[in-house]
Structures are given as structure tokens and as C-alpha cells.
Amino acid sequence: MTKRFGEITALDGVNLSIEDGEYVCVLGPTGAGKTTFLRIVAGLLEPDEGEIYIDGKCVNNLPPEARDTVYMFQQYALFPHMTVWQNVSYGPEIKDWNREKVEQLTAEILEMVRLAERRDAYPHELSGGMQQRVALGRGIASGARILLLDEPLGALDARLRVGLRTQLRQLVKDQGLTAIHVTHDQEEALMIADRVVVLRNGRIEQTGTPHEVYSRPNSIFVASFVGGANFVEGTIIGSSDAGSVMEVLGGLQIKVAVSDVGAGEKAVLAFRREDTWVGEEEVAGSNNLPGVIVSATFIGDSMEYEIRLENGVSIVSKILMSDAFKAYTEGQRVVASFPPEKGHVFPYPVMGLLKEVEAI
Amino acid sequence: MIQRMTRSINPSRLVVWATLIGLIVLVLLPTFYLISYVFLKWGDVWVEVFENPIIGDENWRQILKVLFFSFRLSLSAVAFDLLFGVPLAYVLARKQFPGKGLLEDLITLPLVIPTSGFGFATLITWTSVAGIGGFLGMNTGVIPLDAVVPIINVPLIVFIVHVALTFPYIVRTLQTKIQSIDTTYETASRTLGANPLTTFRNVLLPLVLPGIFSGAVLAFARSLGETGATLIVAGVSSTASIAIVRWTAEFKLATAAFMGSLLVIIAWALILPVERYMGREKRSFKTSYRLPFSLIKRVMRLERYASEKLTRIKDFAPIFVLVLTVIVPIIVVANSVISYWSADPYTGKVQGGVVYQLFGPANYFNTLVKASLTSIIVALVSTYVSTCIAIPLSFIIARRWYGGFIRSILKVPLIVPTSSLGLSVLLLWGSNGLNLVGSGIWLIILTHIAFSVPVIVESILASYEGSDIQMYEDSARTLGATAYNAIETVSLPLIKGGVLTGFILSFAHSLGETGATYIVMGRDITVPALVVNMVEALAIPAALFTSTYLIVLSMILLTIIRFTTRR
Amino acid sequence: MPEVKLVNVTKRYGKIVANDGVTLTLKDGEYVSVIGPSGCGKSTLIKNIAGIITPDEGEIYFDGRRVNELPIENRGIGYVFQNIALFPHMSVWGNVTYGPRVRGLSPEEMRPLAIEMLEMIKVNERSDAYPNELSSGTQQKTAVARALTSRAELLLLDEPLGALDVKVRAALRSELKRLVKDLKLTALHVTHDQEEALSISDRVVVMKMGRIVEEGAPIDLYTHPKNLFTANFVGEANFLAGEVVKASGKNVLVELEEGPEIRAEASDQRMGDRVVTAFRPEFVNVETNGVNRLKGRVVDVLYSGSTVRIRVKLGKGSIVVAKQMLHSEAATIHVGDDITLSIPPQRILVYPYPEGGLEKELALE
């Protein structure tokens, strides 16, 4: 099964193909065109240009009901005048399956989403999590092979959301469905997806497995949006096969991964907060940047240290508080270090660094 | 942008054309025909209105006189409505209190009440000894018939009736508007240090201003076009609508048509700018603070004082007005029927009793039964046909790019004075025009369809906009429903409440309509028209009975509305 | 910078008790977060303090003064709403000066106040913009500025970051904290996001069904939650039921229903007690020679950036999750591998087995 997008100007020339049974997350900030993308696939919007293929067949002119896709709205769109049972059996009923088959399937699905006991309840009587499961069950019951999920966990409490991520993926995989899941939560995307598509201003910024997108971002935007990163401005002063060297403010020289940026050019160094280690001593083979802890923020499973380096630049280190974790206090002198291969260098952006990384 | 690209379900071409043709022929043509009639017969109009060989331009002076009278009346009634309607709408939209449902029903009552019956009830209550006067032990009514509201020079009783009948338009429109504004804005204002009144002035008022405008326009138009009740209470003075009825009856058709088209144009000139303004300005009003600081400070001090001390007055004064103008007349008229049942309580004459008049030589009972039958057939047929047009029309309005345009034209029959509408229908279909339908029940039905379609459409659209139908429909379609499946299983059930409410509202409207009916009915008299005839024939007890009968009927309809809108 | 005290505050909506005898003190200058699942009464609590609703029972004091009957506008609070609620018909400047204006300050008096606030949140360049022209993050910053221009000293934040993108949320979090500390405000922040609460506040209050279940400093609450509900709500955790087979001093030995016996540190359990052990995924090590060994098969390996979650199914079907840094040896583990996990005894929490059953206690809705 393949879907391919030709030139779409509403988005901006999005080309993407998705394999049968794949779980794809489309990740991007508000206004990136994620929902537009999803609605075009569903047939709820018409692309101005370009083609959409499902199983090699162009579906541009097919109405939504004939596309083998089911769209799950962020607000679930459960029919308010129908019970849980009627909602779930809506798809099969409307396709005129025989009664027995419809009843059997509906019962099975309700069992699967653990709502068999609430079959006669109306949507407004259910909690947010339950509504989400009804919507999911309704989608699966319709028999469509492609699940289009628009922020499926967005309306739920944070803690609930985390727990449901794995359940959602499990359900999709168990049913052998293909899923396109739209979200602005990078952690959610990285955890659930087989493949992540990063969207920005209607364009695909990067596509790849979660691991690829996270560890080898191909732009400053991706580095900043997917997981946090530290950004340092500087100039490349030399490159070899083993890696490049960059000079940053204060004359500090930093060894980084091989880059295309030529010597003497202005560049931006990005390295993950999570790849930045904090210790009292230097780490052999790493870049070692001495500095002072400015603040320590506890965020649950990790600690975030803000460190002011000797050249005045502030960087952040995020460290998982596992058994081996050692705490540092504000004002303490430490060495921040990261391995050269974790330092990614990008040409200095035309619009300035801030434009690429600011969240708000 | 997204809206334009949305691939929504569109009614098929056939349905669209059928609906649009129905709309044009049955609703729009009658509404606008009057104007073209005046143009076509301009020669006749000129002679009759301005250069009458006998009376010269007396007719023109009459037109000017009644127009000015109508404007004075309508403007002052709306001003009074606003004064009391705005606080009442606020209370209804924002506060919970026991009896709120009942109060809402009371406000809706004048919308469904047959106006001639109500007009008569008001007349008895205030100007007759059988009303409050008698109750207070006086020998006359509380208000002399010739009492006049100072400054505007309008009979007090006419003013009262107009206030009672237009009040709900302001309150209902504004209440809905206020309810659509998130309460968080007001809470935010309070947490920032503003007392409730300052909050109302600074935050809510600018946000609901479009609602106030459209409510005021509706009320104004209703007042301008009101005929049934005014016919009964006006006495010697005449409003524009009544003038049309009288002139038509006197066969001064050209004068009536000229006046009617003037009213249509005025109504149109009123509604279109407001429609445009509301459609365009999404951000509503921007408040400017150019006022001198000392003045604002004084206003705020006043508001702080009022917020603390005057809460009760603010809440209860409107309710008091409502009770006085709506409830008391209903109670009085019902009570009078009882006391006049077998004989006139003052003279003791059997001839002055309800029973004698109904079953005696005048035999009003038979007439009443016949009129009821006519009324019900008219209401049923016209509402049914209108609903059949209104449902597809609502979908067209919501889905097609020209929907907004249709919606604003549809407001016109809603606010055109019904007597103008009746005249227009008469001139179009009747013997003076196409000569297809003669005066009588079918012409009444045609007239009623013209104003019923907009009523039902508005009601359907209200429930359409309240629920996210587009999303549910999209959802149904990706689940495998075809366009028609989706409409049948999802959209129609979701707007069912709106359709029902619209149906009953329009049924009630049709049942109570007087002005237009009076012009086109010929010999097929309806119940509200009968009341007018009874009053003119001075058959007061019979009129009392018929008014009560109409009011009871409308209350039953109201109860049904209540059950369909609240589960 | 007032001290806020709630004594036995109760609020009912029909049969539902939204706040059930809540007693809480916010110290001068303290940043307190209230967390809990939907419907736990946290919004009711903050509305009680603001005066948006009046409690049915109990007292609320600001600096020792009872304020139950004081109308909202006289409480001197700044309130930030989840849906932002900037007045749509006013510009940023109009919004930010609204407070001083309705309190009767002259334009000359309020000008410096507003400028100072706008500079503080760095939206001074956009003061003529209307709310719908701003990004939601900037809108919420403006709303915070609006709440503070009248020099309110108590800032109430009702899910202030809930309507924003995850990324924006994280950025605003630190700005909010800085602002509150710089202005020396007392702040109460309601959220359902435990990470937000832990990172932003001095103290976290956990609510459930209208009552406060536990309160404490973020790190204490996370590492040593006093009850099962908190352990589950404040962060991810593994839960395994078992029975105490040996208890001596601080050391207990628990025989898990899964089979193995594990050693933990707990003081108030006795022999024979039915218990639930809880431990956070990041404390689960993938190694064969540690203590408290659990054997199982890897069913899923989930990456989330720099960390990897390894879901392991134990012999009788319970799932245990281990969270490790990506560059540790965990990177070599694959689905289907048989592995051994170990958990340091001091990282294991022991709770009495809940009466309503474990599943019900852990349900989040």
C-alpha cells in the first residue's frame, strides 16, 4: 500500500509515501499544516494541486466514504444522539453488512476498547478517556485500513496521555492497520511512531525513524523542535575526515561531527541537552566546557541544569535521574561535556538563529 | 480559506433549483412585487396620491402623517424595550434562579400569541372598568382611552401594546448573544478589579453590540408592521400598517400600495446595513477611550455605587414591566370571560353575556368554529409547505457561497409589515394581478408561507450553528456513509430540535397573524380577524371569549415548544 | 505578597462534592502547584480563592483577614485563565491597562505600570496588536501581564499552559517561574501536567476526589510519595503486588506474586501484609548481577529522544518498564531478548494493598 503526494500548494509540495501497516507521526508546531495534510488524505479537503494514491490508485476524485480511510477528530465527534453501541456500529451498519455480522463485530470491538459495560451510555456520560476509546473503536469497526488520527491524545490529561501512547500503538499494530497520527508533542511522536515526518510551514522538514530524526536532525528547526538542544554560534576553522573544528565566542575550540560548512564560514552548533553530561572532571575524548551551574530544575525523571560557560554562553544539560545520578547545586563549578559526534553543525540561517529556534 | 476548500456535502442540483424556485415564487416575489407594482402603475399612483381631482394631495399628507406617527411609536417602543430588555437579557443569560424557565416562557409568549386577542386583552385591562379599574374599585379604566404619552404624542395604550409585543425580540436576541460570549471575559474583568456594572459596560456591551442592534431592528420592524392588536386599540389614530388595511378595504389600492412599498423600502434600508455590518466586523466594536478621564471616573464611581445598592432594582424592574404588560392582561381577560359568562355583571342583562352572544341569535359560536377550521388549515398547510422549503434551504444557506446573501434577503419578509405583505400578495396573485388565486383561504396560505419560511430557516440555522454539524458529517463520511446517508443519519437528527421549534413557532405565527390575513381573506375569516370584527361590532363578551380561546391555544403551543427544545 | 489560608473549605454541586474540607496554607512568596486528574476539584479550589465561587463551608483568609464574602474585584488578585480570555475588542495595550483603568488610575499613572509589565514579558513592541493577531503563547504572556499590572501580589493560574503547544509550554514555564520570583509574588498554579508542576513550583499539592491526598516539595513527592495514588500520578511507575515475608527494622522482604522475592526499605509493614511495591522506570537497571533480580522477555523497545523504554514481560505476565539513557548498554537490547532487570532496594516503595483492588486505585479517570 502506498500513498504518494504530488505537488500540493495548500501545503507546499508535500511528497510522502507510507507503507502498509506503518505507524507514521506527522509532527509540527501549530499552523504547520498538519491537520490540512490529514484532511486532504481523508478527502475532507481537496488539494489544489497534486495527487494522492492509495494502493497505487489515484483517489483525488473519490469521496471520503470510498477511500478506505477513517478520520478521528481531536474532539472525537462522537454522534451525540447515539449510544456507544450505535456509534461503534455506525460504520458497518451504513455499509449494509448483515445484522449478525454487525452485532458480532461491534461486541468484539467494544470488548477490545474495554467499554462493553457502557454500551448503552451516551457520549456525554463518558469521561474523556472513554470517549477517546469509543472514537477509536468506531473507526476500527468501520473496516477502513487507514487510520487518520488528529491529535488523538490532545484532549486528555497529561498523565493519562503518557499511559495511552503505548496502548494506542499496540491496538493499531494488533489490528494490522496503517496509521497517520498528527501531533505537536515530539515525545509522543518519538515514542509511538515507526516513522516521524516533521512539518513546518507546510513543508516537510525531515522524514525518518524516530531515532534518525532525533539523533541526526537535518536542520536547526528539527534539532530545536524535536527534543531540546543547545545552540552556539561560531565559525568553522577546519575540517577533516575525522570531524570539523569550530571556534565559538571566547576563542573556545570545539570538535564536532563532519560538516559541509566550509572553513571560515559562520555556523551554528547544535547539541542535545540530553547528550550534555555534567561532571566535576573532564571526560576524555569529549568537548569539555567548564562553567557554573546557574539553576537546577527538577522535572520528574530528569534534572535540567542551566550552566553558564566561561565565555558567557548559557547551555542546558538534561540528565536522567537514574540510580547513578549525582546532584549538583546552584553556583557549583562543573564541566559540561559532550562527545564530538553529537555536535551537529548547520550553516548560519539567513533569517537569524532566533527565528529558527524560538518556540513562541 | 479552509471553508472554501472544504469538500462538504452539497445538495444535488435538482434539489437546489427546486428549493430556490420555491423560495423565489412563494417568498421573495410577493415581498418585492409591491415595489414593482408601484413602478408599473406609477401613473395611477401619482394621480391618486398627489393630484387627486377631488382632494388634491390629501392622501399624500395622510401618508406622511401615519408614517411619522408609526416612526414615533416604533422608535419610542424600542427605546423603552432596550432600557428594560438589556438588563433582563443579562439576568436570563447569566444567572440561575428558580422560575427562570417560566420567565423565559413568559417572554416568548408575545411571540406566539395572536396579537388581536392580546390587543383586546390589553384594551380591557387598562381602559375598561372590567379591567384593573374595576379591581381597584374605580368606575372607569385606569387609563383613559385618550391618554397620550408626552413628547412623542402617541396614545398610551398603543404604546403599551407595542412594548409588550416587541419586548421579546430584544430580550431573546440579546440573551442568545450574551450566552454565546464566554463568561471568562467577565470573570477576567472582575479579577482585574472591575465591579459588575463596569464590567458590563467595558467588556460585555461592546461584545454584544451587534446582538443589541439586530434585536432592536427586529423589534422596530415588528412594531412598524404590527396590525392585529393595533387595529383594536388604536381608536382614531392610525399607524402605517392599519392605514394599509383601511385603504385596501376602501379600494384606495394605489395609495395603499405606495405606502406599502414605502414601508418595505424602509424596512430594507434598516436591515441591510445592520446585516452588512454584522457580517463584516468579526471583532465587534473597538472601544475608544477618548472621553475625559474625570468623566470616566465619575461614571465608575456611580457604577460602583449602583453595583452595590441597586442590584435588586435592576433585576426586578424588567420583570415587573413584563408582568404588567403581558401577564396582567391575560389574567384579566380570562377573568372577564368568567364574570361575563351568563350575563353582564354590571347591567345584569343576559344579552351582555358570553353564552347569549355565542349561542344566541348572533350565533358567533358557529362562526368561531368555522374560523377555527380555516385558521388551522391555513396554519397547517402553510407551515408544512414552508418547512419543506426551509429544510433544504437551510442546508443551501449553510453550505453554498451565496448562502449569506440568501439569508439576508430572507430577513426582509420577516420584517416587512405584514399588511404590506398581504397587499403585495393580493396584488400579485389576486384579481388585480395575475388573477390566479382569488381572495380566500388559498391566498391566506400563500401569504403565510412568505413569512413562515424565514421563521423556520432562522430556527433551523440556530440549531445548525450550535452543533458542529460539519465535523459530525465529515466523521460519518470517513466511516463510510455516503452524502445522503450522512444527512439522514447524522445531520437531520441533530437539527431535529430546530426544525420542530421552527415548525411550531411558524404555526403559532400563522395562527395569530392578523394584518395580512385581513387584507387577503375575503370571506374565509380566521380567528384573529374574527376578534377584530367582533370588537368593531361591539360584541365585547364574544371578543373576550375568542381572545381567551386564542391565548389558551398559544399557551398550549408554547408548552409544546418547551418540550421540544428542552429534553 | 499575602499569605493565603484555607480552612476546611467545602463546595458542593448538587450531589458532587467538588471540595471536601480542604485546608491549605500558601506562604508569603511561595509558588504552589495543585495537580490531580480531571474532576479532582482543583479548579474549584482556585475559583474559591479568587471569589468566582463561594464555598459552602469553611473559611478563606488573606493575611489573616477573612475574605469569604469579599467580591472578586476587591480581592487584589491576578488570575490567568486556561482559555487566555484576552478581551478581543481591545489591543494588547488596552488589555494590559484594563486593571488600573477600572480601578480608577489616571492614564498618566497607569502608563509606567503597563510599560514595565510589557517589557518584563517582552511584548512591548506589539502593544498595538489585537489578541487575534498574536500567537497563543504571546497571548498568554499578555494575559499574565494583564493580571499583574494592577500590582496584584497573589497570582492564580488556572491551567495557564493547557491550551498551548508542548514546546511553547516548556518555554513559558521557565518565564512564568522567573516572573513570579522576580516580582516576589505568591502563586497558586493548577495543572494536570505533573511535569509542569514539579518543575515550576516550590511545593506541589496532589488532589483526588475533592480532597488533598498529599503535599510536599517536588523532589520528595516524586521520589518518596507517601501513597500509591501519588506514586502513580506524579510520574510513571511500575507496580507489582506481593506479600511481606520478612520484616526487620527498615528492611523488608517481599515475595512478589510474580515469584521472586525482592528486598526493599520500608518501616511500617509487617510480616504477612499484602503489599504493592512501586518503582520508577529510570531506577530499573538492565544488568545481571545487581540485587532484586527480575527475569523476563523484552516485548517492546520505545525510543523517546535520548531515553529508551524497555517493556519487559515477566514470567506471569506483568509488565515492567525500564527507562535508560540511549547511550548506555540498553541500546543493544532487542524485542524478544530474555533479560534480567534489577532494582536497588532503596528505590523501591512499599504500600499496603489497596482495598478496592490495584487496578481501580491506578485508574486515572
Side-chain angles (χ1 to χ4, degrees), chain B residues 209-540:
Chain B
L209 216 48
I212 295 183
F213 266 117
S214 58
V217 165
L218 279 177
F220 180 78
R222 171 76 201 253
S223 166
L224 207 57
E226 212 297 311
T227 322
T230 319
L231 263 176
I232 285 171
V233 298
V236 289
S237 42
S238 177
T239 65
S241 302
I242 296 183
I244 292 175
V245 174
R246 287 197 178 142
W247 291 336
T248 310
E250 294 163 11
F251 293 105
K252 284 156 76 176
L253 281 184
T255 313
F258 185 59
M259 168 91 130
S261 52
L262 276 183
L263 277 182
V264 172
I265 290 167
I266 290 167
W268 210 10
L270 276 174
I271 204 83
L272 284 188
V274 174
E275 275 291 307
R276 264 185 78 88
Y277 165 79
M278 281 177 49
R280 196 184 25 158
E281 190 103 8
K282 283 275 184 276
R283 205 198 280 134
S284 79
F285 255 58
K286 293 178 190 171
T287 35
S288 58
Y289 284 88
R290 304 270 181 272
L291 297 172
F293 174 65
S294 57
L295 180 71
I296 291 176
K297 200 157 185 180
R298 198 161 304 153
V299 169
M300 282 197 310
R301 196 172 308 137
L302 198 70
E303 283 170 339
R304 185 167 311 133
Y305 175 79
S307 278
E308 286 162 12
K309 312 279 178 203
L310 303 177
T311 340
R312 293 278 163 259
I313 298 176
K314 184 181 92 238
D315 288 359
F316 287 107
I319 297 173
F320 182 68
V321 170
L322 190 73
V323 168
L324 222 54
T325 55
V326 179
I327 309 306
V328 172
I330 291 174
I331 295 172
V332 166
V333 78
N335 181 52
S336 307
V337 170
I338 296 167
S339 55
Y340 276 87
W341 188 253
S342 50
D344 187 321
Y346 301 96
T347 59
K349 279 188 190 157
V350 183
Q351 286 85 340
V354 174
V355 177
Y356 181 82
Q357 296 214 335
L358 287 183
F359 301 101
N363 206 356
Y364 271 118
F365 187 73
N366 262 349
T367 325
L368 183 58
V369 170
K370 242 182 86 188
S372 299
L373 210 61
T374 311
S375 282
I376 285 169
I377 290 172
V378 165
L380 266 182
V381 174
S382 66
T383 306
Y384 180 76
V385 173
S386 305
T387 310
C388 290
I389 299 175
I391 292 175
L393 193 59
S394 305
F395 276 85
I396 293 172
I397 289 174
R399 301 281 158 87
R400 289 285 165 107
W401 56 269
Y402 49 81
F405 176 68
I406 294 186
R407 194 176 183 175
S408 55
I409 310 192
L410 266 185
K411 290 265 167 67
V412 176
L414 211 56
I415 61 161
V416 161
T418 49
S419 52
S420 303
L421 193 63
L423 180 61
S424 189
V425 169
L426 182 71
L427 292 174
L428 175 62
W429 302 112
S431 49
N432 293 38
L434 298 172
N435 204 5
L436 289 175
V437 186
S439 291
I441 189 163
W442 293 107
L443 209 52
I444 306 179
I445 289 173
L446 278 175
T447 315
H448 286 198
I449 289 174
F451 63 74
S452 293
V453 171
V455 170
I456 305 174
V457 165
E458 279 302 313
S459 169
I460 294 177
L461 285 177
S463 79
Y464 188 101
E465 282 158 1
S467 57
D468 218 336
I469 292 211
Q470 186 72 57
M471 179 178 74
Y472 292 117
E473 239 171 43
D474 283 351
S475 191
R477 293 199 74 189
T478 73
L479 289 168
T482 61
Y484 285 97
N485 278 338
I487 289 185
E488 185 194 324
T489 55
V490 177
S491 326
L492 280 183
L494 286 175
I495 58 168
K496 197 174 66 188
V499 176
L500 269 173
T501 311
F503 188 92
I504 296 163
L505 213 56
S506 126
F507 189 87
H509 226 246
S510 170
L511 211 57
E513 208 288 321
T514 325
T517 314
Y518 211 78
I519 288 177
V520 299
M521 68 186 178
R523 286 170 50 215
D524 291 325
I525 201 162
T526 63
V527 183
L530 185 62
V531 175
V532 177
N533 285 354
M534 285 170 170
V535 173
E536 283 178 357
L538 290 178
I540 303 304

Side-chain angles (χ1 to χ4, degrees), chain C residues 98-169:
Chain C
Y98 185 85
R101 201 168 61 222
V102 296
R103 287 196 158 101
L105 264 65
S106 70
E108 300 78 53
E109 286 170 300
M110 66 197 180
R111 198 175 173 77
L113 290 177
I115 289 176
E116 184 194 338
M117 275 324 298
L118 286 175
E119 272 172 2
M120 207 140 185
I121 56 155
K122 304 187 195 84
V123 285
N124 39 344
E125 284 165 22
R126 312 239 28 209
S127 65
D128 292 330
Y130 278 82
N132 60 357
E133 297 160 12
L134 303 172
S135 72
S136 50
T138 313
Q139 284 183 31
Q140 192 57 295
K141 287 209 289 191
T142 310
V144 173
R146 179 180 70 174
L148 296 174
T149 1
S150 319
R151 298 218 186 268
E153 289 171 334
L154 172 62
L155 183 60
L156 301 174
L157 304 135
D158 191 357
E159 303 250 13
L161 309 176
L164 310 174
D165 269 18
V166 176
K167 205 75 196 173
V168 182
R169 222 177 280 172

Side-chain angles (χ1 to χ4, degrees), chain A residues 28-30 34 114 127-130 133 151 156-162 165-166 169-170 184-187 190-192 210-211 214-215 223-229 274-275 277 296-304 318-325 342 359-360, chain C residues 36-38 42 135-138 141 159 164-169 171-173 175 177 192-195 198-200 218-220 222-223 231-237 239 282-283 285 300 302-307 309 311 323-327 344 346-347 364-365:
Chain A
T30 303
K34 307 183 294 277
R114 307 193 311 283
S127 72
M130 287 177 185
R133 300 210 297 270
E151 303 262 4
L156 303 171
D157 272 12
R159 180 65 186 88
L160 197 59
R161 215 178 291 167
V162 175
R165 283 175 191 160
T166 42
R169 181 186 157 87
Q170 201 61 49
H184 60 78
D185 185 341
Q186 48 96 16
E187 199 179 293
L190 293 177
M191 240 177 103
I192 297 188
H211 189 57
Y214 179 80
S215 56
S224 152
F225 192 78
V226 185
E274 296 89 342
D275 290 334
W277 182 252
T297 308
F298 174 68
I299 55 165
D301 62 353
S302 315
M303 189 68 97
E304 273 186 0
K318 183 175 168 187
I319 298 171
L320 189 72
M321 295 174 74
S322 63
D323 206 32
F325 175 78
K342 302 284 190 188
I360 302 166
Chain C
S38 300
K42 52 189 192 297
S135 72
S136 50
T138 313
K141 287 209 289 191
E159 303 250 13
L164 310 174
D165 269 18
V166 176
K167 205 75 196 173
V168 182
R169 222 177 280 172
L172 266 187
R173 215 150 70 183
E175 282 201 47
K177 184 173 182 177
H192 60 73
D193 184 340
Q194 84 286 353
E195 190 180 302
L198 292 175
S199 64
I200 209 165
I219 200 155
D220 294 339
Y222 184 84
T223 50
N232 182 37
F233 191 77
V234 170
E236 287 172 84
F239 297 96
E282 61 268 27
F283 296 141
N285 297 316
D300 222 343
L302 301 165
Y303 296 92
S304 65
S306 60
T307 56
R309 282 180 181 75
R311 283 160 53 84
K323 182 151 63 172
Q324 296 284 316
M325 294 296 274
L326 198 54
H327 46 69
Q346 72 275 16
R347 300 296 192 186
L364 289 165
E365 39 175 2

